[in-house]
Amino acid sequence: MALQCAHCYKHFSIAKVTESRGKGLSVEVQCPHCAAWLGHNKSLAVAKIAGFYGGVIAAAVGYFVDGTATITTPLVILAVIIVGLSHIMDHLKMVEAPADDSGVDSKL
């Protein structure tokens, strides 16, 4: 999976990342090109996880419990929309700029 740095806009592979900090949804990685710290938006990650599991639970209830399809079908559709939109909007943001920005500007 290729990521794009929000500071230098260069693409890099997850395998190239050597420095990371944090755990869970607040994990941050360091760009191998410019040393900027990058992270994801936590609220979008929570929305994506909640939409996914909400959709799975609604689909299971709609399948196994008789008479609930009229309620669970719109819930599954809403969950798919939430997961799709949060996935599209989720991108890396710069958490901390590198200490020396002179190398990034000189390459442009």
Side-chain angles (χ1 to χ4, degrees), residues 1 8 12 25 30 34 36-37 50 72 79 81 99:
M1 182 168 116
C8 67
F12 61 93
L25 296 178
Q30 192 173 31
C34 68
W37 286 97
T72 57
I81 291 170

Side-chain angles (χ1 to χ4, degrees), residues 18-101:
T18 57
E19 298 291 325
S20 65
R21 62 185 180 192
K23 290 184 179 182
L25 296 178
S26 61
V27 69
E28 299 170 359
V29 296
Q30 192 173 31
C31 174
H33 301 290
C34 68
W37 286 97
L38 310 167
H40 286 282
N41 190 333
K42 293 176 200 169
S43 60
L44 286 175
V46 168
K48 191 186 307 184
I49 292 168
F52 175 78
Y53 286 114
V56 167
I57 291 169
V61 168
Y63 185 78
F64 291 112
V65 180
D66 291 333
T68 59
T70 57
I71 297 169
T72 57
T73 302
L75 291 177
V76 171
I77 293 171
L78 182 63
V80 168
I81 291 170
I82 289 172
V83 169
L85 286 177
S86 61
H87 181 70
I88 289 171
M89 293 171 52
D90 193 19
H91 54 86
L92 288 175
K93 64 178 183 174
M94 185 172 56
V95 177
E96 183 180 323
D100 182 24
D101 274 349

